[in-house]
Amino acid sequence: MAEAQAKSDNALDDIVADADTGGRAPKDAFGRAALWYIPLVWSIYQLWIASPLPFMVGFVWNDTQTRAIHLGFAVLLAFLAFPAGKNSPRHHIPNLTWLIAIVGAISASYLWWDYRGVADRTGAPNMTDIIMAGIGLILLMEAARRSLGIPLMLVALFFLSYVFFGSWSGLPEVVQWKGASFEKAMSHMWLTTEGVFGVALGVSSGFVFLFVLFGALLNQAGAGNYFLQLAFAALGHLRGGPAKAAVIASAATGLISGSSIANVVTTGTFTIPLMKKVGFPATKAGAVEVSSSINGVLTPPVMGAVAFLMTEYVGISYVEVVKTAIVPAAISYVALVYIVHLEALKSGMTGTDKTHPVKFILMAIFIIAISIVIAGGLLFLTGFAVDAINTAFGAASIWVILGLMMVAYVAAVRFAAQQPDLETSLETMQHLPSVGTIFKTGIHYLMPILLLMYLLMIERKSPGLSAFWSTMFMLFILFTQNPLKAFFRKQGEVMRHVREGVSDIAEGMIAGARNMIGLAAAMGVAGIIVGAVTLTGIGQVMAEFVEFLSGGNLLAMLFFVAVISIILGMGLPTTANYIVVSSLMAGVVVELGAQNGLIVPLVAVHMFVFYFGIMADVTPPVGLASFAAAAISKGDPLKTGFQAFFYSIRTALLPFLFIFNTDLLLIDVGPVQAIFVFIFALIAMLLFAAGTMNYFIVKSRIYESAALLLAAFILFQPGYFLNQLSPEFETRAGTELFQMAQDAPADASLRVRLIGENLNGDEVDARYLLPLGEVGPDGATRLLNASGIEFRDEDGKIFVDNLAFGGPAEQLGIDWDWELVELEVPADRMPKEIFYIPALLLVLGVFLLQRRRQPKEEAEALA
């Protein structure tokens, strides 16, 4: 039995290694040293460039150079840590691999060591530039294949093929383009910031690495086990408790892991066997873990690093991204807990606690609300205290703040030392102490997370700087927590614990760097795809293709965008997934939506394609997270994947809902309305879960499930039926543009209808949302400053006169000389929330019908 378990654990380790850190484990001293020191140096380098030290000593590289070094480390380690294939050596690094790895690192870092020469030859690359670019591109794709598998490399090859052979006469005329020479393509992809060394790699080098390192250090310190045991202690005694604990634990470990596969294995090793023990079939146990792990990358504050990419691509602040993502993620997680509860009810599972489902849900909402209030209150009070200290102590305030942090930290560790350290074993997980006892053991783990949130959301520091200081705090915790515990417990041997702390720091930094290998390679390869899009204009082709498939129908267009996003996302890591789907599909939704009267903020569009890209992680046949879960549960991988997809339907529903109801993303929503939106969205999601599971109080009949789904739709989209009765907007003459722009409040937008011709000579008749920003001296100035657009009045007609390069109006696809034919303003009509009443009455009717059957069905179940 023990031998079988050991083999199973080794298989799981291999899955994680092959997917995240590399499956090669050399036995020779030189190979081991290489895979120990190179990742360590990479982490030190990333901390160095993120710190103020380079500016203090006057040794600063520019962004392009730091990106090149970052990619050089990634390519070198991809070849050294990841075997070429299943039959390749795992216990030593072949000499040929060393040679290729070094060549790959040299070519990847070319823009660092010959930056001045390349810059001087801008637009006229020499033969060396082209050769280095060609070698670098090939070896980068091979590095991505080794570390991430074939899918991303195949996608990149497809787009490169289109770059070179897009002029082939055998292609449909609608997708043809003139093609590019090898010199032009390599220059664009490798020697500029339009391709590999663009925004994606900049985000990876600038702060994604630091967040991954922060997570690895948290996990090395023991925070992952701490969150897992907290979840089990709180929920393990409930009906289907291990499955509920899996959902909450995966949400918590999402803070410290950007990988859905690592998340599945970290929590699933404990949760899946316990789920099976209380009665969940193998496929359902694995599917619950997969669904909850996937949701981790949709949940703020990190979202698998996508939160920071979105700030760059959409042009909004990090705080706005978090605010946008929080409600869909929260209701999706609560709904998954409810789905687990319904599965437990349907299977007749019991628990030591017989909490009623409604009471349990209300309790969960209360706990979430209290947690948000406590966390938000702590951040607010901390900000207030810091301001007071700055006022009182001036330049010396930083030392006062650091002193107070150290006092708080030492007190937290002293408190933790009063309890024994948490163990990690399946047996331990079945006999956990109380929530309060476990909570005491790791209060100090919460401090760096709160520091990160404080710097990001209160101080509004950059993500890179926030992650740097939080990581430095984590290094300090790793160095000091064990010696301090030993001191407070009077165990002695403090120096031994100091050495252990240094070892933990090194291991955590190495783990963080190795976790970044595939991610950095993915960012580079994603840059190839982005470069192909910018070079060829294939985004317009995609729009025409989707328009052809949908026949101009808005819902059909969104459906096809969703399907294509899932296909594009198959086999890709989270960040590369987002880059690919947003580069190709976000513009499609904006352009075709505008032509169909659908006007939504750009962040909603990006959230839409991101959600469906992530759905690829659970969708067979490529969903690697499902394979990892099946390896633990001993269930069928495909069945696990399909079951996980069924559980994730609620996640697939959300993007359609917030596209048509941006209140769910808290866009232009005040605090009180935000609470109102959250409550009714949560009720709607729970009703949707009950409808799809065919179980509410008791097993539902078909018409009852249909009624629940209809009620959920009304609660999600109360404006739908109102729009059938009364138009949502009234029209105004285009000549009122400047007056309306002047009179609008701060941060308002104007909804305009424009007619004109695009660059292809096609007629365009579409609606657009023009932001107005701060109140200005006149309407024309506000439009120019906020939207980057100027209009002219010709004989009572308003035309687009000028567009700021890269401004919001140009990004929306607006062109010169288009005519503004009308403005649209919200109509004066009854509040859409009035439709909540019939929806709630419908739910009440189902409740009363099932309540009458409940005693009878319970008696039959007992018999």
Side-chain angles (χ1 to χ4, degrees), residues 173-204:
E173 188 174 342
V174 70
V175 301
Q176 287 185 24
W177 85 292
K178 63 182 180 180
S181 66
F182 184 78
E183 179 179 324
K184 181 178 180 179
M186 292 303 100
S187 178
H188 185 84
M189 296 290 181
W190 203 261
L191 304 177
T192 72
T193 55
E194 294 292 322
V196 170
F197 297 95
V199 171
L201 197 63
V203 171
S204 177

Side-chain angles (χ1 to χ4, degrees), residues 242-252 271 288-289 292 332-334 336-337 340:
K244 293 169 182 173
V247 176
I248 303 304
S250 294
T271 61
V288 168
E289 182 58 50
S292 52
S332 189
Y333 259 120
V334 175
L336 183 55
V337 173
V340 166

